[in-house]
Amino acid sequence: MERNASRRSFLGVTCIAIATTILGVAPGGRRVYAAALTKAQRDKLTPDDIIALMKKGNQRFRAGQESPHDYLAQQKASAKGQYPAAVILSCIDSRAPAETIMDLGIGDCFNARVAGNIVNDDILGSMEFACKLAGTKVVLVMGHTACGAIKGAIDKAQLGNLTGLLAKIRPAVEATQYPGERSAKNYAFVDAVARKNVELTTADIRRRSIVLAELEASGAVKIVGAMYNLETGILEFFG
Ligand SMILES: [Zn+2]
């Protein structure tokens, strides 16, 4: 079966018009096209364009209609340079892989992962590199439902270095307005805290990073939050 390399979609959108740089002819006569996001393609996108493409990628994921990724072609096309459109901060949870659930390919985004998707100075530095030096236009903080780190913060779990990490999530627990049972057994509360944690994290990024706050104020970058629902596969963007 002929592989559909020519239909490489960038950020998931089939864009034959722009992604048609023919690199050569592979064994078997298959034409090989530039597969990874180029600088020109990325630079012409606005932050809102990129967010819209991420939403569409999640819709394809939910519909089981992911792009036919040719990872080898993407790897080869991106080896000499990368022009990612977004930097994502997400949880380490094995069920919430940001690239997969937004149908992204190699070279499309930076992704920092840490339990509970909180920021620290190193992650802020990574985001500043991504946006100021590498030209990325969207900072996405992605939380998810049924998050174990959030449950641990609610329970004030104590374990080695995890104790300090969970302490960084505690402000979200305290700040969550919730009328019912405030326990880790109540998933509605857990998810409300996870959402508040994303909100506080995006606020934290603006407050602690002058570089990113200025890029956002100039319109070059957008900082947004989202919650991924493990049950439905839906990625809901907000703020
Ligand atoms: Zn998690």
Side-chain angles (χ1 to χ4, degrees):
M1 191 177 81
E2 185 174 303
R3 296 167 73 194
N4 196 5
S6 65
R7 297 297 187 269
R8 152 66 177 155
S9 54
F10 102 92
L11 273 171
V13 164
T14 304
C15 53
I16 300 159
I18 29 186
T20 50
T21 307
I22 301 173
L23 299 178
V25 179
R30 179 171 63 86
R31 286 191 295 179
V32 179
Y33 290 80
L37 203 52
T38 67
K39 185 174 189 303
Q41 288 166 358
R42 192 271 312 275
D43 287 352
K44 73 192 291 189
L45 293 169
T46 67
D48 284 335
D49 289 339
I50 294 161
I51 292 166
L53 292 171
M54 292 168 127
K55 288 179 180 172
K56 283 183 185 157
N58 178 245
Q59 286 167 2
R60 286 194 305 279
F61 165 74
R62 274 149 47 201
Q65 295 172 345
E66 298 91 341
S67 307
H69 291 286
D70 186 337
Y71 288 122
L72 267 185
Q74 292 174 20
Q75 170 256 318
K76 286 179 171 52
S78 61
K80 296 279 190 289
Q82 61 170 340
Y83 307 100
V87 54
I88 299 166
L89 169 60
S90 58
C91 183
I92 63 168
D93 196 295
S94 67
R95 304 161 295 176
E99 287 97 332
T100 304
I101 63 109
M102 283 184 273
D103 194 23
L104 302 175
I106 293 172
D108 282 344
C109 67
F110 293 104
N111 191 358
R113 295 183 73 162
V114 61
N117 40 271
I118 48 94
V119 282
N120 58 24
D121 289 350
D122 302 315
I123 290 173
L124 287 171
S126 302
M127 289 175 168
E128 289 169 358
F129 163 76
C131 295
K132 189 76 179 181
L133 302 181
T136 288
K137 296 180 180 179
V138 170
V139 176
L140 170 64
V141 179
M142 186 183 106
H144 68 95
T145 60
C147 179
I150 300 290
K151 291 181 201 169
I154 293 169
D155 283 343
K156 298 183 182 169
Q158 305 242 320
L159 172 71
N161 291 289
L162 181 60
T163 305
L165 170 56
L166 297 182
K168 293 179 174 147
I169 302 173
R170 278 301 300 180
V173 180
E174 313 297 348
T176 300
Q177 307 275 329
Y178 189 81
E181 183 190 330
R182 298 173 67 88
S183 87
K185 293 189 182 69
N186 181 359
Y187 273 52
F189 178 61
V190 171
D191 296 349
V193 174
R195 188 184 176 105
K196 177 59 72 178
N197 184 51
V198 170
E199 291 171 5
L200 294 185
T201 302
T202 52
D204 238 14
I205 292 168
R206 293 186 180 102
R207 184 172 55 81
R208 293 170 60 181
S209 171
I210 293 169
V211 172
L212 294 171
E214 284 181 355
L215 283 169
E216 186 175 46
S218 75
V221 163
K222 252 194 177 173
I223 302 170
V224 292
M227 275 290 287
Y228 175 61
N229 188 311
L230 295 185
E231 299 280 350
T232 63
I234 293 173
L235 183 64
E236 179 203 355
F237 284 73
F238 53 87

